[in-house]
Amino acid sequence: MIETGAEPESRAERKLRTRRAILDATLELSTDSSLTALSLRQVAKQVGIVPTAFYRHFDSIESLGLALVEESFDSLRDLFRDVRRNAQADKDIVDGSIDALVDHVHRRRDHFGFIARERVAGPRSVREAIRHEIELCERELATDLALMSGTDTWTAKDLHVLSSLFVTVLVATAEQILSTTRPEQEAQIVATVRTQLRMLLIGVYQWRSEA
């Protein structure tokens, strides 16, 4: 009996595989620099394609960067939504968000490193895209914070201030985790942010929005 091999890869599958290779190569090549210092030819060489083939997937290095920004934030926002949806108490939102963030930083360290670098030194369009994604996180969180005990009479402006505080702390925490390779130091970072956000919750219960 003659055994047949695996099904031949379709054109669409090859295109997706090459696109993934371009994204991964960009993450690797930009580890110690920014997209502004990266050339299309460098990425193409890393992937093993001719430079013109790059344009079948992305219009430019900047559009490639935008795809990485979207990819980096989509899964993170999904995680945070699940945390808030399953929270049984206000404290669960804090603890669950921190645990989800730490786990995600470990599993997608290259993506978080990319965001940390590009939001400061990346091309303008990429910096703006990162800022937009962070604002989306803040708006989604503000909607859920409105359901917390003690915030039912808060103004939309105050809810956004609170969500911005939460997200700012979480972004800073991710960057701190990226900067260390020592488990005991990371544990201290996580313990500190957990205390900070729990203290913030105490303030939430006392705050009253001005009319």
Side-chain angles (χ1 to χ4, degrees), residues 103-176:
D103 178 67
H104 210 52
V105 169
H106 283 294
R107 288 191 294 108
R108 309 201 73 171
R109 193 177 187 90
D110 288 344
H111 284 78
F112 274 92
F114 171 82
I115 294 300
R117 290 187 302 274
E118 300 306 319
R119 83 184 191 106
V120 176
R124 181 177 177 179
S125 62
V126 174
R127 296 198 312 271
E128 290 177 347
I130 293 172
R131 183 165 58 249
H132 174 68
E133 291 288 350
I134 290 175
E135 289 172 353
L136 281 179
C137 290
E138 292 174 353
R139 288 202 293 270
E140 290 182 2
L141 179 57
T143 299
D144 289 338
L145 290 177
L147 304 176
M148 282 176 52
S149 54
T151 63
D152 52 311
T153 60
W154 282 33
T155 63
K157 179 180 178 181
D158 284 354
L159 285 168
H160 184 264
V161 169
L162 177 61
S163 68
S164 178
L165 279 171
F166 267 93
V167 172
T168 297
V169 170
L170 292 175
V171 169
T173 300
E175 293 179 347
Q176 289 180 60

Side-chain angles (χ1 to χ4, degrees), residues 13 52 55 60 80 82 101 107 114 117 147 176 186:
E13 289 171 334
T52 52
Y55 293 109
S60 64
F80 284 160
D82 288 341
L101 177 71
R107 288 191 294 108
F114 171 82
R117 290 187 302 274
L147 304 176
Q176 289 180 60
E186 179 182 309

Side-chain angles (χ1 to χ4, degrees), residues 16-119:
L16 284 175
R17 180 167 54 80
T18 302
R19 186 180 191 276
R20 180 72 260 163
I22 292 172
L23 291 168
D24 291 341
T26 303
L27 287 173
E28 182 179 347
L29 290 170
S30 63
T31 299
D32 299 315
S33 62
S34 167
L35 282 179
T36 54
L38 196 61
S39 73
L40 181 155
R41 289 184 176 277
Q42 284 177 283
V43 176
K45 181 179 180 181
Q46 181 80 359
V47 177
I49 59 176
V50 295
T52 52
F54 177 94
Y55 293 109
R56 297 173 191 162
H57 305 274
F58 300 100
D59 295 332
S60 64
I61 288 291
E62 286 192 22
S63 68
L64 168 55
L66 294 175
L68 282 170
V69 170
E70 182 178 1
E71 182 176 84
S72 299
F73 277 95
D74 278 354
S75 55
L76 181 61
R77 287 208 309 274
D78 286 342
L79 275 177
F80 284 160
R81 286 191 203 105
D82 288 341
V83 167
R84 296 194 297 269
R85 189 181 303 118
N86 297 323
Q88 300 297 314
D90 295 343
K91 184 174 72 68
D92 295 339
I93 295 178
V94 168
D95 293 341
S97 295
I98 295 170
D99 293 340
L101 177 71
V102 172
D103 178 67
H104 210 52
V105 169
H106 283 294
R107 288 191 294 108
R108 309 201 73 171
R109 193 177 187 90
D110 288 344
H111 284 78
F112 274 92
F114 171 82
I115 294 300
R117 290 187 302 274
E118 300 306 319
R119 83 184 191 106

